[in-house]
Amino acid sequence: MSELTLPEVELNIYSKNNPVEVKVVENYVVTKESSPNIVRHITFDISGTDLVDRVRVGQSLGVLPPGVDVKGKPHKLRLYSISSPTSGENGQKHLVSTTVKRTIEELENKLYLGVASNYLSDLNPGDIVKVTGPSGRRFLLPENAQDFNYIFFATGTGIAPFRGMILELFEEQGFSNDCVLVFGCPYRTDLLYTDFLEEMDEKHPNFHFIKSISREGRRKDGSKHYVQTKLIDDKELLTPILAKENTLIYICGMKGMETGIYKELLKQGLSGYLDIRKELPEDVDEIPTEDLKRYVKASARTFEEVY
Ligand code: A2P
């Protein structure tokens, strides 16, 4: 494999006790069709702050919502992945974007609105937000990004870093290796950045956008379409790419998705993507989930950001 070098990053230039104020410049919905789940693309102007030239796609920024919780304590900091390329939104290095889903849940018969996500979603251009960061030193594109192929697995807003990475690879670097994005969500109405991703798929023969819709139809064996089941159902495309020794896997989204992907990689004998810390039964289905979680980890070729 080509040598894998990750860029050096400076972490937490701004901390919880020393946040910086940035200005909202845009805030729009990124689901194409009308959806009960509202996801927004929000862009901040970081001009005049030490964040300029110091945030990379794959990192996160912290957001400090104003006000206090029911106990009178300041609201907790929440981390949001950067969804603009390292060069900035639209090539403007003072603009950094993130992707925010409104958290709307029912807990014990009561409506619960996520504090930070709804605060951010309600913002208008010109509003000021207190942010911290950047955070994250590993979920990054390598310095020599051109030397690799990429399989990106995203669920829900886990798409955020991949939007920026895809823009960076294709729009800025004229990427000529293979890149596949496997995106999972419950319904077609939950697809995010669809126009952009479909356009990239059409424009670049070496970019492939695979959708995995979990609650509309089932696989032949009755199971749900999950991002990891695409490793089986889209074998023709994925197996040759995964077999190359300069391919990297990136996983971003809901906690638990990585275990499903690792299990399928094990089944397919793709152990180069894994760090297996204990001898396990040959029949992968016999491995208890707890053991999978404990003993099968990401190798140097796999990057994960799950939450
Ligand atoms: P489902 O909820 O139908 O079981 P979102 O963040 O927009 O809710 O999307 C998360 C997506 O990930 C959904 O399609 C969800 O399916 C799917 N999902 C749930 N559990 C797993 C898992 N263990 N591995 C992969 N995907 C999963």
Side-chain angles (χ1 to χ4, degrees):
M1 182 172 73
S2 316
E3 198 167 332
L4 177 65
T5 334
L6 292 179
E8 288 287 321
V9 285
E10 252 178 278
L11 299 180
N12 297 315
I13 299 165
Y14 296 102
S15 63
K16 204 170 85 177
N17 297 323
N18 170 36
V20 68
E21 293 192 333
V22 299
K23 194 187 276 184
V24 175
V25 294
E26 60 178 356
N27 179 351
Y28 60 82
V29 172
V30 289
T31 44
K32 188 175 175 185
E33 322 215 8
S34 102
S35 167
N37 295 314
I38 302 157
V39 180
R40 293 179 158 270
H41 184 76
I42 305 179
T43 304
F44 302 120
D45 184 343
I46 56 168
S47 311
T49 76
D50 289 340
L51 293 173
V52 179
D53 286 330
R54 291 202 183 92
V55 283
R56 300 196 74 90
V57 64
Q59 291 191 293
S60 305
L61 289 179
V63 169
L64 287 165
V68 291
D69 63 18
V70 282
K71 292 181 187 150
K73 289 196 176 149
H75 286 303
K76 286 201 187 93
L77 176 124
R78 299 297 199 295
L79 292 179
Y80 288 91
S81 288
I82 291 165
S83 53
S84 45
T86 302
S87 61
E89 184 76 23
N90 296 320
Q92 294 179 274
K93 65 178 185 181
H94 63 288
L95 298 182
V96 175
S97 305
T98 186
T99 309
V100 179
K101 178 180 180 179
R102 279 192 191 273
T103 310
I104 304 170
E105 286 169 346
E106 198 184 71
L107 295 175
E108 292 165 0
N109 267 15
K110 286 231 156 53
L111 176 66
Y112 167 79
L113 300 176
V115 173
S117 69
N118 284 289
Y119 159 66
L120 285 172
S121 298
D122 286 348
L123 292 170
N124 291 306
D127 287 344
I128 301 294
V129 180
K130 282 189 176 153
V131 303
T132 68
S135 63
R137 64 163 82 244
R138 181 153 194 271
F139 196 82
L140 304 169
L141 284 177
E143 292 267 24
N144 45 338
Q146 297 298 313
D147 295 346
F148 299 92
N149 305 292
Y150 300 92
I151 313 276
F152 295 150
F153 290 99
T155 54
T157 49
I159 189 83
F162 301 132
R163 175 205 182 250
M165 288 179 183
I166 291 162
L167 278 166
E168 188 155 319
L169 289 171
F170 286 90
E171 302 290 278
E172 292 170 26
Q173 301 189 2
F175 187 67
S176 58
N177 284 343
D178 286 307
C179 176
V180 182
L181 169 70
V182 186
F183 177 62
C185 60
Y187 301 100
R188 265 169 296 179
T189 48
D190 298 313
L191 287 164
L192 306 175
Y193 299 114
T194 323
D195 286 347
F196 162 66
L197 294 167
E198 284 179 344
E199 198 187 302
M200 294 298 284
D201 188 303
E202 256 174 48
K203 196 162 129 190
H204 301 282
N206 56 334
F207 177 71
H208 306 271
F209 175 34
I210 300 178
K211 300 166 196 162
S212 179
I213 315 281
S214 60
R215 299 190 199 166
E216 296 181 29
R218 295 266 168 161
R219 296 174 66 237
K220 276 198 192 108
D221 67 0
S223 64
K224 278 181 161 181
H225 290 277
Y226 276 171
V227 285
Q228 60 268 33
T229 62
K230 297 297 168 188
L231 286 166
I232 306 165
D233 301 343
D234 286 75
K235 246 183 175 188
E236 226 171 290
L237 170 70
L238 295 171
T239 304
I241 302 175
L242 285 162
K244 293 182 189 170
E245 61 169 29
N246 60 335
T247 297
L248 306 177
I249 289 180
Y250 286 64
I251 300 168
C252 188
M254 65 184 299
K255 204 171 178 61
M257 68 182 286
E258 74 286 12
T259 314
I261 294 169
Y262 294 168
K263 194 168 173 180
E264 196 46 47
L265 292 172
L266 271 180
K267 282 189 179 174
Q268 298 192 12
L270 293 161
S271 54
Y273 295 97
L274 304 169
D275 172 8
I276 303 160
R277 300 181 178 177
K278 190 187 166 193
E279 201 172 322
L280 296 165
E282 222 164 278
D283 181 349
V284 177
D285 286 324
E286 277 184 13
I287 309 173
T289 308
E290 272 318 301
D291 284 3
L292 263 179
K293 283 189 191 159
R294 189 178 309 166
Y295 301 119
V296 183
K297 304 282 178 188
S299 76
R301 291 169 66 187
T302 303
F303 301 80
E304 67 180 44
E305 188 76 37
V306 292
Y307 40 86

